[in-house]
Amino acid sequence: MNKPDKKLTITCIDNVCDPAKPGASGHSDIIWEAGEYLLKAGHRVRIVGDYTTNNFPYGHERLEVVPFKSNPFYRRNGLGRVLHVRTAYKRVQSYKDTDLFFTTDAFSAGVTARLSKQVPVLFLTPANIYQRQASSYKLDPIASFFYRLVSHDAAKLSRHIIATSRDLKQWWIKTGAKSENISVIPLGANIEAFAKLQSKPAPEKLRLLYVARFEGGNNPQLLVDLALHLKKLQVDFELSAVGAGSLLESVKEDVVKHKLDNVIKFHGYVPYEELPTVYSSHDVFVFMREAGGPPRVVMQAMASGLAVVAFNSSGLEDYLETGKSGYLVRNGHIGEIASTVARLYQNREHLAHIQTHAKARAVDTFDWRSVTAKYNAVLSTVIHEEHVVRQQKVKKEVRSL
């Protein structure tokens, strides 16, 4: 791992979805994993969040944690989320040694960049509001208003943006960011944890896996359509669905209604540390999201040696090579996912080829060690630019005397 030109003190603002699950909900897992590897790269890392537990992710003992108490009301709407980030910023404002704020969501980036006059903000973005609103799963007008508000600030006021795909870079340019202020770096994942387990030899029955929150944007209701298509194609399969969410019960009811409970099994929420074992006992990973950023579950599946079949969205064309390390099909065409799975079922030699290439690509490209090396290059640029800005400001003040 490349060492930085200068050891920095990086304060990460974790806008965690569930205060009882730091590092395991929303973008919090990205904050904690990136923080760990930035620490290993030689930086001092501080994470601030409104946690209600001291049970932090295993292996992160050296990270400095700054908890704070936030009003539960703040999580209910856009204005509340703005106030929530403002509270987090005030909590760490007294720390005068921060060289850089690091954030992974538009609210944290936009609000912090607006408030911070002296410390630059580095915004790692796995999503964009305009991309979301262009999809089938739009936010309501009020929520959209607040997202657009903070996203414009994030785009224009963040010192630098790390977009996790080329597609996201274009969306953030449309939001107001300058192209030269955006670097495209793949989203990192703890690849080693998933790659170390060897997949068990595939039985005659094809073992499919779905891992995602059961919310509208992830299209969990399409699991039923997928199973019905596969039955028509005479594929002998079983499908494991991992995740929880507001649509879980309705999907379960639909499964029973169509008499698919013998092939679709629900496992609910699975702790992160148990996921590698889950992945390693399957053959093919299916994913049906139509908008958003590159999902880390896809990288985890690839690292585990699964063939990925997914909708061509979320910048996934930057992550897997269709026909070599997986397959991407047209958005919304669940029949194409089914027919692709059927071909893999019929040609186990080709399936094994895809699985081997998927694992190799994940190990070579998405491990946090290689990703953090690219972050270090960006950090050096950001700090240099900040130094230049401050010098220019001092010169301007001197001239005005």
Side-chain angles (χ1 to χ4, degrees):
M1 184 183 297
N2 293 348
K3 292 294 181 180
D5 295 336
K6 174 188 175 185
K7 179 179 178 180
L8 304 176
T9 297
I10 302 171
T11 296
C12 307
I13 295 184
D14 184 9
N15 197 358
V16 61
C17 289
D18 185 345
K21 295 179 180 178
S25 62
H27 296 161
S28 184
D29 59 340
I30 302 175
I31 283 284
W32 281 84
E33 286 192 13
E36 178 188 4
Y37 281 91
L38 286 169
L39 182 73
K40 289 179 178 178
H43 303 292
R44 180 185 178 190
V45 179
R46 176 185 297 131
I47 298 180
V48 55
D50 64 329
Y51 309 125
T52 57
T53 179
N54 291 322
N55 185 23
F56 299 118
Y58 175 77
H60 296 87
E61 293 81 3
R62 292 192 300 150
L63 294 174
E64 181 182 345
V65 181
V66 182
F68 71 96
K69 290 185 178 180
S70 181
N71 191 325
F73 166 78
Y74 288 173
R75 297 185 176 279
R76 297 181 182 178
N77 55 45
L79 176 59
R81 293 188 67 181
V82 169
L83 295 174
H84 171 82
V85 177
R86 186 170 178 269
T87 303
Y89 176 77
K90 284 192 169 185
R91 177 68 179 84
V92 294
Q93 196 174 14
S94 61
Y95 292 88
K96 303 301 183 183
D97 58 348
T98 297
D99 295 303
L100 184 85
F101 284 111
F102 179 79
T103 70
T104 57
D105 70 281
F107 276 89
S108 295
V111 175
T112 304
R114 171 66 65 178
L115 294 172
S116 178
K117 305 300 182 184
Q118 301 295 328
V119 181
V121 172
L122 176 63
F123 177 28
L124 166 63
T125 171
N128 179 277
I129 181 59
Y130 290 100
Q131 180 204 45
R132 171 74 178 265
Q133 295 305 93
S135 74
S136 304
Y137 295 95
K138 299 176 175 62
L139 294 178
D140 65 76
I142 295 177
S144 173
F145 168 78
F146 279 102
Y147 265 101
R148 285 185 280 112
L149 184 69
V150 296
S151 292
H152 281 285
D153 274 355
K156 295 178 180 179
L157 301 179
S158 296
R159 179 71 72 209
H160 202 84
I161 295 174
I162 295 177
T164 51
S165 72
R166 291 172 296 171
D167 179 63
L168 272 177
K169 176 176 181 177
Q170 295 308 311
W171 282 107
W172 279 100
I173 290 173
K174 293 177 182 177
T175 308
K178 295 179 180 179
S179 177
E180 60 268 27
N181 287 345
I182 305 176
S183 297
V184 178
I185 300 175
L187 190 58
N190 188 5
I191 298 299
E192 183 179 2
F194 293 87
K196 66 183 179 182
L197 293 181
Q198 290 293 330
S199 298
K200 299 174 183 177
E204 190 63 30
K205 184 178 291 188
L206 194 65
R207 302 165 300 179
L208 307 180
L209 178 64
Y210 171 87
V211 180
R213 284 186 57 79
F214 277 69
E215 303 293 349
N218 290 326
N219 284 324
Q221 70 281 0
L222 291 181
L223 290 173
V224 171
D225 294 334
L226 174 61
L228 291 173
H229 277 292
L230 290 173
K231 277 185 167 291
K232 288 181 180 178
L233 293 169
Q234 298 183 327
V235 175
D236 187 11
F237 73 98
E238 58 184 15
L239 196 162
S240 299
V242 174
S246 62
L247 296 179
L248 178 58
E249 292 307 315
S250 64
V251 174
K252 283 183 175 181
E253 291 173 3
D254 213 14
V255 165
V256 172
K257 176 183 175 182
H258 288 87
K259 299 180 180 179
L260 295 169
D261 45 324
N262 62 324
V263 292
I264 299 181
K265 305 298 181 182
F266 296 92
H267 300 273
Y269 170 78
V270 173
Y272 176 81
E273 58 271 16
E274 297 177 17
L275 284 175
T277 302
V278 172
Y279 280 103
S280 67
S281 60
H282 292 83
D283 311 305
V284 177
F285 186 82
V286 293
F287 198 72
M288 291 86 72
R289 182 190 289 175
E290 295 185 46
R296 296 215 297 164
V297 289
V298 167
M299 288 168 269
Q300 292 165 358
M302 293 172 67
S304 301
L306 275 68
V308 174
V309 184
F311 287 157
N312 189 6
S313 66
S314 305
L316 282 179
E317 65 272 11
D318 289 359
Y319 287 73
L320 63 86
E321 304 159 283
T322 194
K324 187 174 181 181
S325 53
Y327 282 94
L328 297 175
V329 307
R330 291 179 296 168
N331 263 0
H333 290 257
I334 193 65
E336 292 185 10
I337 286 187
S339 60
T340 302
V341 170
R343 289 197 301 273
L344 294 173
Y345 169 73
Q346 293 158 2
N347 189 340
R348 294 306 180 95
E349 184 177 343
H350 181 58
L351 171 60
H353 174 80
I354 294 290
Q355 292 170 328
T356 299
H357 278 275
K359 189 164 192 167
R361 179 160 175 76
V363 171
D364 292 343
T365 310
F366 310 129
D367 186 81
W368 272 118
R369 291 176 180 83
S370 59
V371 171
T372 305
K374 296 175 182 177
Y375 284 2
N376 274 327
V378 172
L379 291 172
S380 297
T381 299
V382 169
I383 295 304
H384 173 72
E385 289 175 351
E386 182 66 15
H387 178 68
V388 171
V389 168
R390 290 182 181 180
Q391 281 188 323
Q392 291 175 341
K393 184 177 180 181
V394 169
K395 289 180 180 178
K396 185 176 180 181
E397 290 174 349
V398 169
R399 287 175 189 152
S400 63
L401 293 177

